[in-house]
Amino acid sequence: REIGSIVRSLGCFPTEAEVQELLAQVEEEEPTGYVHLEKFLPVMTKVLLDRSYRPIPEDVLLHAFEALDENKCGYITKEELVKYLTEE
């Protein structure tokens, strides 16, 4: 269930369709909602080495941070970032 989050935490940003394709490669014949590490590691290693998924463009990230900068001061504080990442 968390494959998309795991892959994204490794710096890859696949679409949901691409996550489903990846899941199809690593999931057991009978889907259980779990993936065995032994199947996941070789597939994810190939994804990382081949740079299969492009990172999020810098301008998209900048726009996201600008949206969080309510005071339009050009930055957000550590406290604001922690709040956004943990509460919202």
Side-chain angles (χ1 to χ4, degrees), residues 5-69:
S5 297
I6 293 167
V7 171
R8 290 179 182 105
S9 75
L10 294 170
C12 301
F13 297 94
T15 65
E16 281 305 310
E18 291 169 328
V19 169
Q20 292 306 313
E21 290 173 13
L22 184 63
L23 189 55
Q25 293 178 46
V26 296
E27 204 167 34
E28 296 297 317
E29 295 291 323
E30 290 289 320
T32 62
Y34 295 96
V35 172
H36 289 279
L37 187 60
E38 297 80 25
K39 287 186 100 173
F40 178 73
L41 286 179
V43 172
M44 197 61 220
T45 299
K46 182 169 177 18
V47 164
L48 291 170
L49 290 174
D50 293 349
R51 299 177 188 242
S52 299
Y53 307 119
R54 298 177 59 103
I56 293 177
E58 187 176 308
D59 62 320
V60 173
L61 288 174
L62 182 59
H63 184 69
F65 277 96
E66 287 173 346
L68 297 176
D69 180 12

